[in-house]
Amino acid sequence: MNVIAKAIDGIVTTVSPEKGLKRAAARRQNQILNSGYGNHGASTTKKSMKGWLFGGGSAREDIEDNLDVLRQRSRDLYMGVPLATGAVKTMRTNVVGRGLKLKPTIDREILGITPEEAQKLEKQIEREWALWAENNDCDMARLDNFYELQQLAFSNWLQSGDCLALLPTSKRKNQPYDTRIQLVEADRLCSPYYIDKLDGSIVNGVEVDQNGEVIAYYIANRHPLSYEQKEMKWTRVKAYGSKTGRKNVLHLMSRERIDQRRGTPFLAPVIESLKQLGRYTDAELVAAVISGMFTVFIEKEDNSEGDAIGNIIPEDQQVDEEDEGSIEIGAGAVIDLAAGEKAHDINPGRPNANFGGFVEAICQQIGAALEIPYEVLMKRFNSSFTASRGALEEAWKMFRTYRDWLARDFCQPVYEEWLSEAVAKGRISAPGFFTDPLIHYAYCKAEWNGPAKGMLDPVKEVNAAEKRVSNGFSTRANETMEMTGGDFYANVEQLKKEEEKMKEVREIAKKGTETSAKGTKTE
């Protein structure tokens, strides 16, 4: 504050202490507002910011109190708006596809075994796993195998924000394993009688202790929105077993905020945009259909009550003769209008020339929010090779992130639970599995491989893969998995068998040729 301003403030304060105090307060407030973010994003004085209504709260107020509406709207969009359906299915197909496949990678150095022993054990684990995972018996409902359950769990997470998986046991005929997977829809996870605890220990069916650790889940015996004539009851399921410490519940969710206990639907940030775009698309579709019809208005100078113009057409030639409000014009008909009547045709101007460009701009914003590039979201690769390749690369960064998350939170825990049963029943030999956590970890190490990334130009992609391998930037196993989703070692073994067969065929063909040549020479 300069000398003149101080002098003026001193005079005002002497004459009127009250006004002097107000000047000082106003000056102080102005200093605060004009510092840092207060002069930009946090400004409350700029005209562009004054009309901004905002409010905030914890994860509970901002997210969890709104989940019921978000879930139902998200599912409605999935069932009725094509773009929303496409976004969810694009995620499911590229992240899960036909299911993430198990590849055991046991740590042989920790276990102190040879590479041959490790490979033999891994093959045995794969065979036993296939016996359980590829059978519908792994599902408590006995409807899907493990790979189909992955698709169902991930799709439900996309639409609802979270999904539960229980791991009960149940004996079944001709199945050596008792471990089962029971998926539970997000709505069934709710507080008893829909009442959360005031102290925050139970919120939306999730119970935590004083340290914030999740200790239990409350699961309703039926869907809250179901018409079933059955009394609602809740079961408290501990998150971990009291004696074994095993996971009783797998809670599939992705947190956005600290202290958040329930997940948000994948489409939550773009619900309004998708709904408005769906309405706009429907309106344009209806307008385009109407424009395909020839519409005529008859302008009259008086209020005459004569017959409608369409009544001139004989009833046997009318398309909709049963509708009294239908006025039709016959094919090639020449109709004489009454005195004072004029005919005006209507051109609704559809299809809208700006429809495609506008929808494309909105879809680009929606794709950016969902991390799905426009080209991938709309399945349109009509740009240059470089642009299309860049879109695929960006999309696969996101797909891999979600694939790793699904593998860590769903596939790997289920696999470890199954492997524990296999070892306990003696079907797989794993000394020290239950006594040493490090050995347990070494046996349980695994990779989960999913669908491969698409190739825009296979020749260029293969050449690039060869250079990466020759320069040591990658391995044949990694490139095989990335390009085809296959197993390099399985491919090598299969190629070895094929080469042996082809060698036999060549030898047989060669002997046949020699025999034929000898016969010709003898003659």
Side-chain angles (χ1 to χ4, degrees), residues 78-145:
Y78 174 77
M79 292 183 283
V81 178
L83 186 62
T85 308
V88 171
K89 290 187 174 181
T90 295
M91 289 290 295
R92 181 206 62 190
T93 301
N94 287 280
V95 174
V96 182
R98 293 175 294 178
L100 305 187
K101 303 292 184 179
L102 169 70
K103 177 60 180 175
T105 56
I106 61 177
D107 194 330
R108 63 178 184 84
E109 293 183 358
I110 294 178
L111 301 177
I113 59 178
T114 64
E116 292 74 17
E117 292 174 333
Q119 187 176 9
K120 181 178 179 181
L121 180 57
E122 288 173 354
K123 288 185 176 181
Q124 183 186 1
I125 292 175
E126 288 180 357
R127 286 192 291 268
E128 291 289 328
W129 169 259
L131 176 63
W132 180 80
E134 296 179 4
N135 195 304
N136 291 358
D137 285 333
C138 69
D139 182 10
M140 193 65 182
R142 223 168 189 173
L143 296 174
D144 299 314
N145 61 30

Side-chain angles (χ1 to χ4, degrees), residues 15 19 42 97 143 145 155 171 188 255 300 309 325 341 343 410 430 463 474 489:
V15 176
K19 290 184 178 180
L143 296 174
N145 61 30
S155 295
K171 291 186 178 295
R188 289 179 58 190
R255 295 200 298 172
K300 297 183 178 181
I309 183 174
E341 291 182 345
F410 182 69
N463 291 336
S474 183
Y489 295 101

Side-chain angles (χ1 to χ4, degrees), residues 17 60 103 130 139 184 255 261 276 331 379 458:
R60 180 175 179 180
K103 177 60 180 175
D139 182 10
V184 179
R255 295 200 298 172
R261 303 185 196 177
Q276 295 288 60
K379 309 296 187 295

Side-chain angles (χ1 to χ4, degrees), residues 241-379:
S242 303
K243 296 181 179 180
T244 62
R246 66 184 284 271
K247 287 185 176 181
N248 294 328
V249 180
L250 303 181
H251 187 188
L252 305 182
M253 62 167 286
S254 180
R255 295 200 298 172
E256 300 175 3
R257 299 271 297 272
I258 298 172
D259 296 328
Q260 181 181 342
R261 303 185 196 177
R262 302 296 303 273
T264 53
F266 178 67
L267 300 177
V270 293
I271 282 179
E272 182 179 3
S273 299
L274 285 170
K275 185 61 177 177
Q276 295 288 60
L277 185 61
R279 287 170 174 164
Y280 174 57
T281 303
D282 290 342
E284 286 293 331
L285 181 60
V286 172
V289 172
I290 293 175
S291 69
M293 306 175 184
F294 186 72
T295 306
V296 177
F297 284 119
I298 303 299
E299 179 183 344
K300 297 183 178 181
E301 294 182 354
D302 55 16
N303 296 326
S304 59
E305 298 181 356
D307 291 338
I309 183 174
N311 288 344
I312 299 176
I313 307 301
E315 291 185 359
D316 60 346
Q317 297 181 17
Q318 293 185 17
V319 177
D320 194 9
E321 57 181 299
E322 297 180 357
D323 186 359
E324 296 181 356
S326 176
I327 301 176
E328 302 181 12
I329 299 177
V334 178
I335 302 172
D336 185 19
L337 298 177
E341 291 182 345
K342 296 180 181 179
H344 298 280
D345 63 329
I346 300 299
N347 180 17
R350 292 298 188 279
N352 186 354
N354 299 320
F355 176 77
F358 176 77
V359 170
E360 181 177 343
I362 299 301
C363 289
Q364 288 174 350
Q365 295 184 31
I366 292 174
L370 299 179
E371 292 188 284
I372 305 177
Y374 171 77
E375 293 85 351
V376 179
L377 181 63
M378 303 301 292
K379 309 296 187 295

Side-chain angles (χ1 to χ4, degrees), residues 424-437:
K425 289 186 173 182
R427 295 188 67 87
I428 294 177
S429 177
F433 186 87
F434 295 107
T435 57
D436 190 334

Side-chain angles (χ1 to χ4, degrees), residues 20 69 149 192 209 263 323 437 490:
V69 176
L149 287 175
D209 62 11
D323 186 359

